[in-house]
Amino acid sequence: MPEIIHPRTRRIDVVEEHFGRSILDPFRWLENNARSDRHVAEWIAQQNAVTQDHLESLSGRSVFRERLTAMLNHEQFSVPVKRGGRYFFTRQSGEDNQPKLILRSGEDGQDRVLIDPHGWSSDNGDALAEWAPSDEGALLAYGVQSGGTDWRTIRVLDVDTGETWGDEVRWARFMQIVWAKDGSGFFYSRYPEPEGGATDTAGVANHAVFYHALGTPQSADRLVYSDPERPQVLHLVERTDDGRYLVIYSTPGAGMNALAIVDLTAPGWVARRLVAGLDEEWSVIGSDGDVLFVLTSQDAERRRIVTLDLADPEPSPVEIVPKDEAVLASAALCGGRILAAYLVDARTEVRRIKPDGTPDGVVRLPGIGSAGAFEGSGKDNEAFFLFSSFDTPITIYRYDVAVDSYEVWAQPQVAADLDRIAVEQRFYRSKDGTSVPIFIVRKRHAASPAPTLLYGYGGFGISMVPIYNPMHIAWIEQGGVVAIANIRGGGEYGRAWHAAGRFENRQNAFDDFIAAGEFLKREGITSADGLAIQGESNGGLLVGAVTNQRPDLFAAALPGVGVMDMLRYHRFTGGTMWISDFGSPDDEKHFASLLAYSPYHNIRPRRDYPAILATTADADDRVVPGHTFKYVAALQAEDLGPKPRLVRVETRAGHGAGMSRDKLVSLYADLWAFAAHWTGLKIREVP
């Protein structure tokens, strides 16, 4: 293989003082937008050229591309939403680059395509985002996501005629669409119009809830709720089944929110705050008249269920389902029963509970895995849920709540022999002795050490649960191992597990991930120089941080759309929302810990680093690509041994959602070929 010569990146003299420390930032110019700065655009072109030259030299790339194409050549479904006797769901066939929105009229009716986004752009980079049918199922409001951005444009479709109405709502972001019960309009959340329309660099402040009346211009939309005293929080909306109450969640980050309601039958639509603080989690799971059923972490770090009686001028929580050793991950009121999904060592257990809190048995799931996304109403016995595991594709089940039975509603047929896949859960000790679970997925009866992909996230209370990933199956078919570590910072064991990897405790997440790598080698699961690590977004930060701390442990590192500059992350787009998990670099008590692990600031020269392929996208307006650009430039500027430090920049794509199937296949073929080469995985044709 020819020697890789990294492009030289221009350095500038930028020095800032932070709490008595001088911090160099020589690659700050790479924060500029490539659309308006030709120097950044030229840098991207040079880097992509070097990266593609290397990738084209890898023998396994075409094999992975062909296999991933085949692996994704099956139908994928979303859980259906029932409105007015009609079922709305998305379906993506093996030939589709994007999911289509489908209508099924009646349980045995014919399917009809309502929305096909493939004609929206020449490269299939525009996608259907959030959508919601009206209560009678006659109208549908839907969001359009263009080129991977987080911004949405909302439009309205007449379901019967297929006509798109003239209504257009712009500047929506981080939102749900909620219809008024009579179908006269819908509620949504948006930001003020960015100055000059600069959506790719706009900050995220002054989020607000609006109501759009059909047939009126957006300028006439009614402001329903905002919080000028807390401009950085998000305001997300839901509605009770009976249409009476609009529920508003105000949140600065994961696992904490205020709670307000609006009585939509009362004049003036005055918001009533039920919970003003931002210290706990409050999530309405259903209602019965004036009584709300609420999942909360108040006095229960693994959550409990309470009721709030809105007829009381000052409602107090009344516990109906107490806290448990298992983590109450989600719940829904369907058919007169609460269906509560608990995490037991990151695996799902679904319990039936009567509205008064009396236990009513468990839903016997198809296997050990993840169940969720329960969709139904409080009085309708018909509900839906999904089930998946590492060796089980996402399957949709129709559940009859009254008789406690379910049947397959939609099940994909995949191009893989999943009976040859084995899944096990093991536990290992982290640096401080904490026991951490890890899932190991590989070929059944595998006995010898093999190149391994270790995946992690470790932040924002997000749990890594068993779910089918065809990308991983393509790696396992070649004889590789996939390991998913449930490190601290996630939500696998409740708020305490999250807090143990938050703020100044974040080093625990890194220690857990490093200990996972050591465990895989010690147990003979991973070959001696065969460990690759991968993570995206907060997981990209994880990969960057542990690579700096233990470059000797890994053969390859794949940080995707990562947060790499922890001293400036809060200055871009939605970065301020992450202060709730990272802490603020403008606060001295957080600054030292952020600087200690920031991937951009802690590269260790004159040490042999693993091969690194960092990935990002030019339209990522959540974690701006400048994070990855600066990090890669800093890597390339140091003497880190003979292996490559490369960046792959996708065009007309964002943080991941809405990426076309073609681009997804191309991305993972590159990632797996790179990891295979540097871990020693031998690639062969799959029959």
Side-chain angles (χ1 to χ4, degrees):
M1 178 172 293
E3 179 185 0
I4 296 174
I5 301 177
H6 298 118
R8 293 182 62 86
T9 302
R10 174 169 56 94
R11 303 174 71 105
I12 60 176
D13 293 327
V14 175
V15 182
E16 287 186 344
E17 295 294 321
H18 294 261
F19 305 109
R21 299 190 62 170
S22 296
I23 306 297
L24 301 177
D25 191 1
F27 304 113
R28 182 172 295 182
W29 65 274
L30 286 170
E31 295 175 356
N32 295 340
N33 193 297
R35 293 186 179 91
S36 56
D37 189 323
R38 67 176 180 85
H39 299 294
V40 176
E42 290 170 356
W43 184 89
I44 294 171
Q46 292 171 355
Q47 294 286 342
N48 268 342
V50 172
T51 299
Q52 290 304 316
D53 282 347
H54 177 68
L55 293 173
E56 287 171 4
S57 71
L58 304 179
S59 59
R61 191 188 194 196
S62 60
V63 174
F64 275 121
R65 182 173 292 157
E66 180 179 345
R67 190 63 187 137
L68 288 167
T69 299
M71 291 292 296
L72 288 170
N73 188 18
H74 66 266
E75 290 190 314
Q76 299 179 55
F77 302 86
S78 68
V79 172
V81 175
K82 182 181 180 182
R83 295 289 185 271
R86 298 169 165 181
Y87 300 86
F88 299 80
F89 58 97
T90 62
R91 181 177 67 207
Q92 185 172 12
S93 74
E95 303 299 323
D96 292 337
N97 264 299
Q98 296 286 356
K100 300 173 183 176
L101 185 65
I102 308 298
L103 168 67
R104 180 177 297 173
S105 297
E107 176 59 28
D108 299 319
Q110 295 294 313
D111 290 352
R112 174 161 64 92
V113 176
L114 285 181
I115 297 176
D116 182 354
H118 290 89
W120 291 352
S121 59
S122 59
D123 66 348
N124 295 312
D126 292 353
L128 174 67
E130 298 80 6
W131 54 270
S134 62
D135 282 40
E136 297 303 318
L139 297 170
L140 183 105
Y142 62 96
V144 176
Q145 179 187 25
S146 181
T149 178
D150 280 338
W151 295 95
R152 307 289 194 259
T153 298
I154 304 174
R155 298 194 172 97
V156 177
L157 180 77
D158 186 306
V159 172
D160 290 322
T161 67
E163 175 188 359
T164 300
W165 289 22
D167 299 70
E168 181 177 273
V169 172
R170 304 181 68 197
W171 318 121
R173 191 178 188 186
F174 307 134
M175 58 94 190
Q176 293 102 3
I177 301 169
V178 174
W179 282 90
K181 186 172 181 60
D182 63 3
S184 60
F186 56 84
F187 301 88
Y188 68 99
S189 306
R190 72 172 174 89
Y191 288 103
E193 180 177 349
E195 185 175 349
T199 57
D200 50 358
T201 58
V204 286
N206 301 310
H207 205 233
V209 177
F210 285 83
Y211 173 75
H212 175 76
L214 296 182
T216 65
Q218 184 173 1
S219 59
D221 286 3
R222 178 176 177 178
L223 175 64
V224 177
Y225 191 81
S226 65
D227 190 349
E229 295 182 359
R230 297 186 288 197
Q232 302 301 334
V233 302
L234 299 178
H235 305 292
L236 308 174
V237 292
E238 292 180 351
R239 203 206 69 194
T240 55
D241 283 348
D242 60 10
R244 180 174 180 182
Y245 293 109
L246 184 73
V247 181
I248 303 171
Y249 305 105
S250 300
T251 176
M256 59 194 78
N257 62 275
L259 178 64
I261 58 102
V262 175
D263 187 342
L264 299 176
T265 65
W269 287 357
V270 177
R272 176 185 175 188
R273 278 190 176 176
L274 303 179
V275 179
L278 299 172
D279 302 318
E280 292 139 350
E281 180 180 3
W282 301 83
S283 177
V284 175
I285 64 172
S287 67
D288 184 6
D290 287 329
V291 176
L292 299 181
F293 295 84
V294 183
L295 181 152
T296 182
S297 60
Q298 182 201 51
D299 300 327
E301 65 179 30
R302 298 191 180 191
R303 303 188 188 92
R304 61 185 180 135
I305 297 176
V306 302
T307 58
L308 293 173
D309 188 347
L310 300 181
D312 189 332
E314 296 185 5
S316 297
V318 176
E319 181 174 276
I320 59 170
V321 179
K323 61 185 178 182
D324 192 270
E325 284 299 307
V327 176
L328 178 53
S330 64
L333 184 62
C334 299
R337 293 292 185 272
I338 296 170
L339 303 177
Y342 285 84
L343 285 184
V344 180
D345 291 331
R347 299 172 293 175
T348 302
E349 176 184 289
V350 178
R351 304 175 189 174
R352 292 167 51 98
I353 303 167
K354 295 180 180 180
D356 63 0
T358 304
D360 190 38
V362 298
V363 178
R364 300 191 181 280
L365 296 174
I368 295 174
S370 301
F374 280 91
E375 174 64 35
S377 69
K379 301 185 184 303
D380 190 345
N381 281 322
E382 184 180 49
F384 295 88
F385 68 94
L386 64 79
F387 178 82
S388 182
S389 190
F390 295 117
D391 56 353
T392 305
I394 295 174
T395 301
I396 310 300
Y397 288 89
R398 178 187 177 274
Y399 180 60
D400 188 320
V401 182
V403 299
D404 184 23
S405 67
Y406 57 80
E407 61 185 5
V408 171
W409 193 80
Q411 184 175 36
Q413 301 298 315
V414 301
D417 183 359
L418 299 180
D419 290 337
R420 299 177 62 190
I421 305 298
V423 181
E424 62 178 317
Q425 186 180 45
R426 305 272 292 272
F427 293 81
Y428 65 92
R429 294 290 176 182
S430 189
K431 182 178 180 179
D432 63 358
T434 298
S435 178
V436 181
I438 186 170
F439 290 104
I440 299 167
V441 190
R442 52 185 169 175
K443 281 186 174 181
R444 195 173 299 279
H445 308 307
S448 58
T452 300
L453 285 168
L454 171 62
Y455 187 89
Y457 189 80
F460 299 91
I462 295 174
S463 302
M464 296 290 101
V465 296
I467 194 164
Y468 181 73
N469 187 335
M471 307 304 182
H472 286 162
I473 301 299
W475 176 269
I476 294 166
E477 285 182 334
Q478 294 292 341
V481 179
V482 171
I484 296 93
N486 298 110
I487 63 179
R488 282 174 283 185
E492 288 85 350
Y493 294 105
R495 287 169 65 89
W497 197 252
H498 176 201
R502 186 169 166 236
F503 294 150
E504 284 72 30
N505 294 327
R506 188 159 288 268
Q507 183 58 43
N508 286 332
F510 307 145
D511 289 342
D512 290 354
F513 201 61
I514 289 169
E518 294 173 330
F519 166 81
L520 292 169
K521 290 192 174 184
R522 184 172 62 249
E523 293 297 307
I525 296 166
T526 301
S527 46
D529 193 25
L531 182 58
I533 51 174
Q534 186 196 14
E536 293 137 341
S537 195
N538 178 79
L541 158 64
L542 168 72
V543 170
V546 301
T547 297
N548 285 336
Q549 294 180 15
R550 284 294 306 276
D552 59 298
L553 189 58
F554 315 115
L558 308 173
V561 292
V563 187
M564 299 307 203
D565 184 344
M566 300 309 298
L567 302 188
R568 287 177 60 79
Y569 77 85
H570 60 319
R571 299 181 182 272
F572 309 108
T573 61
T576 54
M577 294 188 295
W578 314 332
I579 289 174
S580 63
D581 222 71
F582 296 149
S584 173
D586 295 334
D587 187 330
E588 189 170 7
K589 69 178 181 180
H590 296 309
F591 170 80
S593 64
L594 290 167
L595 179 61
Y597 69 75
S598 176
Y600 175 55
H601 297 94
N602 287 279
I603 295 165
R604 302 184 179 186
R606 294 177 296 281
R607 298 188 64 177
D608 281 351
Y609 266 50
I612 298 173
L613 177 58
T615 55
T616 186
D618 63 353
D620 191 344
D621 50 13
R622 191 174 308 181
V623 180
V624 296
H627 276 283
T628 295
F629 297 166
K630 292 171 63 176
Y631 166 69
V632 169
L635 287 170
Q636 293 177 353
E638 300 292 352
D639 177 10
L640 301 176
K643 293 180 179 179
R645 274 77 60 188
L646 303 173
V647 61
R648 183 190 189 279
V649 186
E650 187 60 83
T651 58
R652 272 184 50 78
H655 202 60
M659 182 179 285
S660 70
R661 178 167 290 185
D662 286 347
K663 290 183 177 181
L664 200 62
V665 165
S666 179
L667 169 63
Y668 277 89
D670 289 350
L671 289 173
W672 288 178
F674 183 87
H677 177 80
W678 293 104
T679 60
L681 183 67
K682 304 300 183 184
I683 308 302
R684 58 178 179 81
E685 296 287 344
V686 177

